[in-house]
Amino acid sequence: MSSTIDTSDKSATTTRRGFLKGSGAVAGGVVLGAGASAAAETENLPPNVPDWMKAPGDPMGSQPYGAPSPFEKGVVKNISKNLKQYISASGRTPLQELDGIITPNGLFYERHHGGVPTIDPAQHRLMLHGLVERPLIFTVDDLRRFPSESRIHFLECSGNPGYTKPYGKTASDLVGLLSCAEWTGVSLKLVLQEAGLKPEAKWVIAEGADAAALTRSIPIEKCLEDAMLVYSQNGERLRPQQGYPLRLLLPGFEGNMNVKWLRRLHVTAEPAYSREETSKYTDLLPDGTAREFSFYMEAKSIITRPSGTQRLSAPGFHEITGIAWSGHGKIKRVEVSVDDGKSWQDAQLQEPVLTRALTRFRLPWQWDGKPAVIQSRAIDETGYVQPTLAELLAVRGENYFYHNNAIWPWRIAADGEVTNALA
Amino acid sequence: MSSTIDTSDKSATTTRRGFLKGSGAVAGGVVLGAGASAAAETENLPPNVPDWMKAPGDPMGSQPYGAPSPFEKGVVKNISKNLKQYISASGRTPLQELDGIITPNGLFYERHHGGVPTIDPAQHRLMLHGLVERPLIFTVDDLRRFPSESRIHFLECSGNPGYTKPYGKTASDLVGLLSCAEWTGVSLKLVLQEAGLKPEAKWVIAEGADAAALTRSIPIEKCLEDAMLVYSQNGERLRPQQGYPLRLLLPGFEGNMNVKWLRRLHVTAEPAYSREETSKYTDLLPDGTAREFSFYMEAKSIITRPSGTQRLSAPGFHEITGIAWSGHGKIKRVEVSVDDGKSWQDAQLQEPVLTRALTRFRLPWQWDGKPAVIQSRAIDETGYVQPTLAELLAVRGENYFYHNNAIWPWRIAADGEVTNALA
């Protein structure tokens, strides 16, 4: 091999820098003057070889369970400074820092009401009782003996964001109570069949083993469709914040119903009307009645790059990318507007497009350096189109809080700064 | 809500325990005597409510970047006690502990030759030079301005395992230099087009910024097919052990060629014949010639559960599950034998089956409690069938080390203990 060649910042700034234009050129770096001779053109060269090549790096075994680079220490869950511990505790996924559709377990959003219990899996039990032929108690190992399945699904809190201003500055502030993982567990249908449902069984009341004993009522149809009892997430066992050692997963349903630290399934004829489906997770409508049991997360999307607090470095080529999802199935199309909603273009969807999972979309864009408003809207396989905030508010009224799936525009200033256009 | 019901181990052991048999029953737990009254039948009840429900758990913010449960502290990379640091350092993925196809970043296998460098991404550069019209130097930010793509692919070391005994006890010992992730980055083809390839360009020589300056030659055809310059893995930026801030990804090619900490791409007419493609990663054939540039990882599979050092708790239903993969494309079929290779059954493949990615397979099995040998074999979309170890050795001879993709059988003893049948 030939000797190494200077690639330092010093050299870079003294050669011609520019984003390439014209046929086929989309972006670029530093163009060297004449092949590998660029370094020689520069006085006072820094060393050819960066410091980290001059001595061996960290030895094997220093991190038997790995961690991100120290240069990524700012990429953590987005936790409000003013949260009420044990009542409204939440940590949001930093969506604007992430690529693809998988959320790494360390950055998966969390939301809990009684702190995160540390549960010994050998002591944990799941009880299944009520309107069944054979009430059963399962250990975690019992459930691991059932046939398993793995599926990639998103999970989203229904207060993501609420309709209450201020909405926040970043994509994470707005919709960071959203993540996506590959889940492995047992079909709930199979477990219910093992116990034998009685004909009058219409609901399953799920209870968590946290200090809040969080309780939600699930319609039996969902339990027999695609609900899972999950023990693993992205390959490894669930994290404590995600319900270790066992959680309920209801693909496409609001996050709160996906009960963590699952200890009990009570099969009943009527819902429980628990705190989480009366005082919370319901909405007062303009006519004075309440919307309750609003299970499904409707189709939604957001541009994550460029997004709020980011900055476009220069006019020219920029890729617009984001995520779209629907509790009703697959994303069929995502449209992007770069002219404040006057016109819309189809974005490219990254394959595979999976049901009730995040879908990554992308659109190439030449920014002319003028102020612009960009936004995306999702269309799912049912034909449903993600609405504007104004459209939602017109229907739902002043007292609505949950299930805000509005289109969210970002404003780009002439200096490239990106801000929330609805803040 | 009704009061909580005892689900403690004490109660469990004093009620009737047994795995359910008969119609539809596949596994089970404890059958309660009469609905929710089982607890009342037991003397000296432990408290109804487990300790972790009696007080709030860990508050939000105690782990802004999460970690697994303390009860999973044994699930770490499998690192040999006798490794030669900086020469043969490797940490294997604990495959037998994992579900699904995604390997979490903390458990992704690693293999390096000069330790793990800590690279400042703002200082890192990628130089592209040689047989190109416009030599270029890129910052990481430059590369992030290119159109991006995300794909799920496996990565496997070609010495996984070598042909040298002892082969090890667990699935991780055998084939733990194997992992799978969702990668995001830039098409290498696009970056090469930006520089403009000269007609005589036939190879791209990739160099890493580690202390070993690891160097491999990549045929131009692969660079123009599906090679990527990757900056993110499972959503977040690459871990240092995986090449932060930039690595080459060559889907389906042996792991060593997927150069980490990528700093240079030298476009040439001939390969470099570096250490890693002469002294290492070549094999002496029976006729005295060497097999070199053995890029593709052939179709392969392994049963991960039950597998070596695990134990079947009792006769009855057990799911056999494992992973299959091929560097040549999609897995078409996986066959499983439970009678020492006399007969084979088709396993179920978990959708989506993706090209050059792990594919999870499963087969329901009723174990009769007698000694058994179980094994899997993969067939990929080219029709290639995973061979036996004897078949491979007959062709490749005594001096072969790399690219052992043999079928690997597990022996199950009458007491349920699982061991390596070829050790």
Side-chain angles (χ1 to χ4, degrees):
Chain A
M1 292 300 301
S2 58
S3 64
T4 54
I5 290 159
D6 176 73
T7 60
S8 73
D9 201 39
K10 185 73 189 292
S11 163
T13 52
T14 53
T15 55
R16 182 168 68 86
R17 174 178 286 272
F19 293 95
L20 305 180
K21 309 273 184 192
S23 57
V26 288
V30 176
V31 180
L32 294 185
S37 67
E41 299 171 11
T42 309
E43 298 286 338
N44 301 319
L45 288 179
N48 260 347
V49 175
D51 283 346
W52 44 78
M53 293 185 77
K54 291 179 184 164
D58 291 341
M60 178 62 59
S62 52
Q63 289 196 337
Y65 191 97
S69 163
F71 289 97
E72 300 295 325
K73 64 175 184 242
V75 182
V76 291
K77 281 173 257 186
N78 170 9
I79 298 172
S80 162
K81 286 173 190 67
N82 303 315
L83 60 85
K84 293 174 196 152
Q85 284 287 0
Y86 309 132
I87 295 175
S88 62
S90 62
R92 292 158 191 268
T93 295
L95 297 170
Q96 68 278 8
E97 300 287 346
L98 300 186
D99 296 296
I101 63 166
I102 296 290
T103 310
N105 290 343
L107 297 174
F108 205 92
Y109 92 85
E110 33 178 324
R111 173 85 181 84
H112 28 81
H113 303 256
V116 178
T118 302
I119 298 181
D120 178 354
Q123 299 298 320
H124 187 72
R125 296 292 181 277
L126 172 66
M127 178 162 178
L128 169 55
H129 69 128
L131 296 171
V132 293
E133 301 296 338
R134 291 173 298 280
L136 293 167
I137 293 177
F138 300 97
T139 66
V140 177
D141 283 346
D142 288 338
L143 291 169
R144 281 190 67 84
R145 285 204 48 195
F146 275 81
S148 63
E149 54 187 50
S150 300
R151 286 192 262 122
I152 295 174
H153 289 301
F154 78 84
L155 206 59
E156 184 188 16
C157 179
S158 50
N160 188 46
Y163 285 88
T164 315
K165 284 198 175 192
Y167 294 117
K169 294 181 176 177
T170 68
S172 177
D173 293 343
L174 277 165
V175 293
L177 297 172
L178 166 76
S179 304
C180 185
E182 185 196 33
W183 309 93
T184 299
V186 188
S187 155
L188 176 54
K189 180 180 183 180
L190 207 57
V191 174
L192 291 175
Q193 286 175 336
E194 184 77 359
L197 287 177
K198 292 188 174 174
E200 57 272 36
K202 297 296 177 211
W203 293 81
V204 174
I205 300 169
E207 182 188 85
D210 58 334
L214 190 138
T215 298
R216 287 296 304 254
S217 309
I218 324 295
I220 196 74
E221 293 78 10
K222 183 67 175 178
C223 296
L224 298 176
E225 183 198 355
D226 62 355
M228 292 170 77
L229 304 179
V230 161
Y231 40 75
S232 288
Q233 180 178 0
N234 290 337
E236 66 189 355
R237 297 296 187 282
L238 288 171
R239 297 291 178 88
Q241 291 79 5
Q242 298 308 320
Y244 181 87
L246 192 68
R247 86 173 300 165
L248 184 61
L249 189 80
L250 305 172
F253 274 27
E254 62 184 5
N256 183 267
M257 301 177 73
N258 295 256
V259 176
K260 295 183 282 193
W261 314 293
L262 187 69
R263 73 184 299 255
R264 191 148 72 111
L265 294 169
H266 187 197
V267 183
T268 62
E270 299 290 342
Y273 291 104
S274 73
R275 170 185 183 276
E276 309 291 329
E277 53 208 32
T278 51
S279 162
K280 301 290 174 183
Y281 299 98
T282 55
D283 282 295
L284 192 58
L285 295 171
D287 68 0
T289 64
R291 185 181 178 217
E292 58 181 14
F293 300 121
S294 45
F295 307 129
Y296 281 97
M297 301 307 295
E298 301 284 4
K300 193 166 168 182
S301 69
I302 188 137
I303 293 170
T304 55
R305 198 154 56 93
S307 65
T309 73
Q310 295 177 345
R311 195 186 191 90
L312 298 185
S313 55
F317 178 83
H318 292 272
E319 181 176 78
I320 292 174
T321 182
I323 42 179
W325 63 101
S326 169
H328 284 289
K330 291 186 182 182
I331 289 294
K332 185 177 164 193
R333 210 163 79 235
V334 177
E335 297 174 328
V336 171
S337 170
V338 296
D339 58 5
D340 204 4
K342 290 192 234 354
S343 67
W344 298 82
Q345 304 169 64
D346 275 2
Q348 182 209 351
L349 305 187
Q350 176 73 59
E351 294 287 340
V353 175
L354 302 171
T355 191
R356 296 168 177 165
L358 293 189
T359 295
R360 172 66 56 178
F361 67 85
R362 301 183 178 100
L363 185 81
W365 181 42
Q366 288 287 344
W367 180 46
D368 59 10
K370 293 179 187 157
V373 173
I374 63 172
Q375 56 200 309
S376 63
R377 70 179 173 208
I379 297 114
D380 71 17
E381 62 180 327
T382 71
Y384 175 94
V385 181
Q386 183 182 2
T388 64
L389 183 59
E391 287 167 347
L392 276 172
L393 288 172
V395 174
R396 294 188 170 172
E398 297 278 309
N399 295 309
Y400 220 87
F401 178 76
Y402 296 99
H403 291 276
N404 179 352
N405 66 320
I407 292 170
W408 220 278
W410 301 112
R411 185 180 306 283
I412 297 173
D415 66 357
E417 197 184 348
V418 188
T419 53
N420 183 347
L422 296 181
Chain B
M1 290 299 302
S2 58
S3 64
T4 54
I5 291 161
D6 177 73
T7 59
S8 73
D9 201 38
K10 186 74 188 293
S11 162
T13 53
T14 53
T15 55
R16 182 169 67 85
R17 174 179 285 275
F19 293 95
L20 305 181
K21 311 274 183 190
S23 58
V26 289
V30 177
V31 180
L32 294 185
S37 67
E41 299 170 12
T42 308
E43 297 287 337
N44 301 318
L45 289 178
N48 261 348
V49 174
D51 285 346
W52 44 78
M53 293 184 76
K54 291 180 184 164
D58 291 342
M60 178 63 60
S62 51
Q63 289 196 337
Y65 190 97
S69 164
F71 289 97
E72 300 295 326
K73 65 175 183 240
V75 182
V76 291
K77 281 175 255 186
N78 170 10
I79 298 172
S80 163
K81 286 172 190 68
N82 303 315
L83 59 84
K84 293 174 195 151
Q85 284 289 2
Y86 310 131
I87 295 176
S88 61
S90 63
R92 292 158 191 267
T93 295
L95 297 170
Q96 68 278 6
E97 299 288 346
L98 300 186
D99 296 296
I101 63 166
I102 296 291
T103 310
N105 290 343
L107 298 173
F108 206 92
Y109 92 86
E110 34 178 323
R111 172 86 180 85
H112 29 82
H113 304 256
V116 177
T118 301
I119 297 181
D120 178 353
Q123 298 299 320
H124 187 73
R125 296 291 181 277
L126 172 66
M127 177 162 180
L128 169 55
H129 68 129
L131 297 171
V132 293
E133 301 296 340
R134 292 173 297 281
L136 293 167
I137 292 177
F138 300 97
T139 65
V140 178
D141 282 346
D142 289 338
L143 292 169
R144 282 189 67 84
R145 285 202 49 191
F146 274 81
S148 63
E149 55 188 49
S150 301
R151 286 191 263 121
I152 294 173
H153 289 302
F154 78 85
L155 206 58
E156 183 187 16
C157 179
S158 50
N160 188 45
Y163 285 90
T164 316
K165 285 196 175 192
Y167 294 116
K169 294 180 176 178
T170 67
S172 177
D173 293 343
L174 278 165
V175 292
L177 296 172
L178 167 76
S179 304
C180 185
E182 185 195 35
W183 309 92
T184 299
V186 189
S187 155
L188 177 55
K189 180 181 182 180
L190 207 57
V191 174
L192 292 174
Q193 286 175 337
E194 185 78 359
L197 287 177
K198 292 189 174 172
E200 57 272 36
K202 296 296 177 212
W203 293 81
V204 174
I205 300 169
E207 181 187 85
D210 59 334
L214 191 138
T215 299
R216 287 297 304 256
S217 309
I218 323 295
I220 196 74
E221 294 78 9
K222 183 66 175 178
C223 296
L224 299 176
E225 183 198 355
D226 62 354
M228 291 169 78
L229 304 179
V230 162
Y231 40 74
S232 288
Q233 179 177 359
N234 290 336
E236 66 189 355
R237 297 295 187 282
L238 289 170
R239 296 292 178 88
Q241 292 79 6
Q242 298 309 320
Y244 181 88
L246 192 68
R247 84 173 300 165
L248 184 61
L249 189 79
L250 304 171
F253 274 27
E254 61 184 7
N256 183 266
M257 301 176 73
N258 295 255
V259 176
K260 295 182 282 193
W261 315 294
L262 186 68
R263 73 184 298 256
R264 191 147 72 110
L265 294 170
H266 187 196
V267 182
T268 62
E270 299 291 340
Y273 291 104
S274 73
R275 173 187 183 276
E276 309 291 330
E277 53 207 33
T278 51
S279 161
K280 301 290 175 183
Y281 300 97
T282 56
D283 282 296
L284 191 59
L285 295 171
D287 68 0
T289 63
R291 183 181 179 219
E292 58 180 17
F293 300 121
S294 45
F295 307 128
Y296 282 96
M297 302 307 296
E298 300 283 3
K300 193 165 168 182
S301 68
I302 189 139
I303 293 170
T304 54
R305 199 155 54 94
S307 66
T309 72
Q310 295 177 344
R311 195 186 191 89
L312 298 185
S313 54
F317 179 84
H318 292 272
E319 182 177 78
I320 292 174
T321 181
I323 42 181
W325 63 101
S326 169
H328 284 288
K330 291 185 184 184
I331 289 294
K332 186 178 164 192
R333 209 162 80 236
V334 177
E335 297 174 326
V336 171
S337 171
V338 296
D339 58 4
D340 204 4
K342 289 192 242 339
S343 67
W344 297 82
Q345 304 170 64
D346 276 2
Q348 183 210 349
L349 305 186
Q350 176 73 59
E351 294 286 342
V353 175
L354 302 171
T355 191
R356 295 168 177 164
L358 293 189
T359 296
R360 173 66 57 177
F361 67 84
R362 302 184 177 101
L363 186 80
W365 182 41
Q366 288 286 343
W367 181 45
D368 60 9
K370 293 178 187 160
V373 173
I374 63 172
Q375 56 201 307
S376 63
R377 70 180 173 206
I379 297 113
D380 72 17
E381 62 180 329
T382 72
Y384 176 93
V385 181
Q386 184 183 3
T388 64
L389 183 59
E391 287 167 348
L392 276 172
L393 289 172
V395 175
R396 294 187 171 174
E398 297 279 308
N399 295 311
Y400 219 88
F401 179 75
Y402 296 99
H403 291 276
N404 179 352
N405 66 320
I407 292 170
W408 221 277
W410 301 111
R411 186 179 305 283
I412 298 172
D415 66 358
E417 197 183 347
V418 188
T419 53
N420 183 347
L422 297 181

